[in-house]
Amino acid sequence: MTIDIGRFSEAPSTDVEEPADTAAGEQKPPELVYGSAEEFLHEQLLPTYVRSVDGRSAQWCMEWYFHPEAVSRIEALWRAWEHLRLDGSTGMSVWWKDHADHHMNVLLDPRGPFHKCDMKAHRDPEPLEPKKAPEGWFPDVRTQPG
């Protein structure tokens, strides 16, 4: 079985190397390969990051999108991939080492965000509900003079 992971190895198109100028004189950002984190998850990440998910050494929830931490991490993986795929020298290695391996180890950890779920049933996550710090301990820096 061969899985196409060549998107990293494709040389950037000429419009990526020499972006067209916009009317305001800004460079046009490179086009995204994937339109959403979900598309990236199904089309790139899961087909290439294959692991045995048995509930003991690895855990996943089929309704991953109900887990805010998972959504945030998958979004981060997608955005990092879109950026690093443009680096033809070490981009793929950096993405795997610094992003995919790190976030997927957290996501798949049996004590991770899917710890109450299994491959058959989703269970809503219970967010931590810490107490608020006393008034004034963490002033809003947006309202402080520069």
Side-chain angles (χ1 to χ4, degrees), residues 1 6 74 104:
M1 179 171 130
I74 292 165
M104 291 303 288

Side-chain angles (χ1 to χ4, degrees), residues 7-140:
R7 293 188 193 272
F8 274 111
S9 61
E10 291 174 2
S13 64
T14 55
D15 68 333
V16 172
E17 292 174 357
E18 299 174 20
D21 291 338
T22 63
E26 297 175 8
Q27 291 183 344
K28 179 182 174 186
E31 286 189 34
L32 298 173
V33 173
Y34 300 104
S36 70
E38 181 179 33
E39 182 183 6
F40 169 76
L41 177 74
H42 290 285
E43 300 294 322
Q44 178 68 32
L45 183 60
L46 294 182
T48 58
Y49 202 94
V50 179
R51 297 293 186 270
S52 176
V53 178
D54 60 10
R56 290 183 308 275
S57 61
Q59 189 86 0
W60 187 262
C61 178
M62 298 308 275
E63 295 182 286
W64 60 272
Y65 40 82
F66 286 126
H67 297 266
E69 179 183 354
V71 171
S72 182
R73 287 180 181 276
I74 292 165
E75 177 91 12
L77 284 168
W78 167 50
R79 295 199 177 268
W81 186 91
E82 289 285 1
H83 175 76
L84 289 168
R85 72 182 172 84
L86 301 173
D87 178 351
S89 58
T90 61
M92 186 168 99
S93 180
V94 169
W95 183 80
W96 280 106
K97 178 181 74 70
D98 293 348
H99 301 277
D101 289 340
H102 171 74
H103 289 294
M104 291 303 288
N105 283 337
V106 171
L107 287 170
L108 292 170
D109 189 299
R111 298 164 302 172
F114 306 131
H115 76 279
K116 289 188 172 187
C117 299
D118 58 40
M119 295 296 285
K120 296 178 183 132
H122 162 75
R123 291 179 185 84
D124 286 334
E126 296 174 17
L128 296 173
E129 294 185 22
K131 292 182 179 180
K132 294 262 187 183
E135 185 70 32
W137 281 29
F138 297 96
D140 187 337

